[in-house]
Amino acid sequence: MVERIAIFAALPWEERSVRRSLEGVARVHSAGWPATWAGHAPGREVWLVRTGIGEERARAAAQAIAQAQRFDAFLVTGCCAGLTTELEPGDVVVADSVYGSGGAQRFPADLDLRSTLHDAASRAGVRVSLGAHACCGELLATIEDKRRAASQYGAVVAEMESAAIARVALRAAVPFAAVRAVLDPLDAELRHATGLVDPASGRVRPLHLIGKLATAPGVWPELLAMQKMMRAARTSLERVHAALLSQDPRSPAHAEARAGEGG
């Protein structure tokens, strides 16, 4: 039996980190969410959903996808902010749980799915760990913002979409998991990044960028540093998804690996 999984990503470059490992990718016009594509990997039909930034867009996208088809798993991927000193750009963190904004609700990740993601990251040769993801309502632009989030949630990374998708998955009885690559570590500040990206499309707003470059001399060094960090995160995500999607879940090797993890 072929698995059908949906992989959610907020930004275009995050989505492309998955797309490179799929074949026959085509837009799904009946999905109920415009930025939806479907492709194939060994033993899997993969729906790739670009949500845009934030919990509300992620919730709407997940609801549309849950209503469109039956799925065996919902996976969330993309970048995140590191909240501990140990995490560096490109490090991968598989969620053991995700917290909604304000920490009011905690959603555990499916044990089998998170083991599968951790195994894929290990096979991909990236630095990988397991920990809680905090879903915040806005960009954590300063070191103090990150420290405050770490204290509030007890999380190791921060992002913005997983909790909303986990909530939909729970209601639809679909197993859920999340894997993120660190973009900005704890000691990196993104004071000039606010407003640069359009939340709906995930693309840079040219006029905002031009305005910031004209009025804030600190923008260029921050943008160059962010570009370098993004390359590290993107490379790790591409490697993880290549390892994840290259292995047929029906194969004996996959079954043996899962049995070994359980033991």
Side-chain angles (χ1 to χ4, degrees):
M1 179 179 177
V2 174
E3 285 188 342
R4 181 184 291 122
I5 64 174
I7 302 181
F8 298 85
L11 304 175
W13 70 265
E14 297 171 337
E15 166 222 311
R16 288 193 295 270
S17 75
V18 184
R19 185 187 288 253
R20 292 187 60 176
S21 296
L22 299 176
E23 294 183 355
V25 177
R27 190 177 290 272
V28 182
H29 295 286
S30 61
W33 186 258
T36 303
W37 298 264
H40 297 278
R44 294 185 176 99
E45 176 186 338
V46 181
W47 285 37
L48 182 54
V49 186
R50 189 172 71 226
T51 65
I53 299 171
E55 287 186 279
E56 284 305 306
R57 290 180 179 84
R59 177 193 56 77
Q63 285 180 340
I65 298 305
Q67 292 168 5
Q69 275 286 3
R70 180 196 60 80
F71 287 88
D72 297 297
F74 275 7
L75 305 181
V76 184
T77 193
C79 65
C80 60
L83 302 183
T84 71
T85 56
E86 293 81 13
L87 291 172
E88 301 175 356
D91 286 352
V92 168
V93 181
V94 176
D96 58 13
S97 58
V98 297
Y99 288 89
S101 294
Q105 196 165 9
R106 173 182 174 272
F107 301 93
D110 180 82
L111 287 172
D112 285 342
L113 285 178
R114 80 187 199 193
S115 293
T116 296
L117 288 170
H118 196 284
D119 175 66
S122 297
R123 287 187 285 110
V126 303
R127 290 211 327 169
V128 58
S129 57
L130 191 68
H133 292 200
C135 292
C136 303
E138 58 185 9
L139 174 73
L140 302 182
T142 69
I143 296 173
E144 185 55 36
D145 289 338
K146 295 175 185 177
R147 287 176 174 161
R148 191 179 303 113
S151 175
Q152 178 180 2
Y153 297 96
V156 296
V157 298
E159 38 116 330
M160 299 177 73
E161 294 84 25
S162 291
I165 296 168
R167 185 177 291 110
V168 174
L170 178 64
R171 292 173 180 167
V174 178
F176 160 85
V179 58
R180 297 271 183 172
V182 174
L183 178 74
D184 50 311
L186 177 64
D187 61 357
E189 297 202 330
L190 303 179
R191 293 179 180 271
H192 300 294
T194 303
L196 279 182
V197 176
D198 175 60
S201 69
R203 293 186 171 88
V204 173
R205 292 166 160 164
L207 293 180
H208 281 69
L209 177 59
I210 292 170
K212 284 182 179 287
L213 290 174
T215 59
V219 171
W220 267 122
E222 185 176 300
L223 289 179
L224 291 173
M226 190 161 57
Q227 186 178 45
K228 183 178 180 180
M229 293 185 293
M230 188 179 74
R231 281 198 300 268
R234 183 180 63 223
T235 298
S236 291
L237 288 176
E238 288 176 352
R239 291 169 65 180
V240 170
H241 293 307
L244 173 69
L245 297 172
S246 65
Q247 191 170 43
D248 191 329
R250 303 166 299 182
S251 69
H254 182 82
E256 289 174 7
R258 291 285 291 273
E261 292 162 8

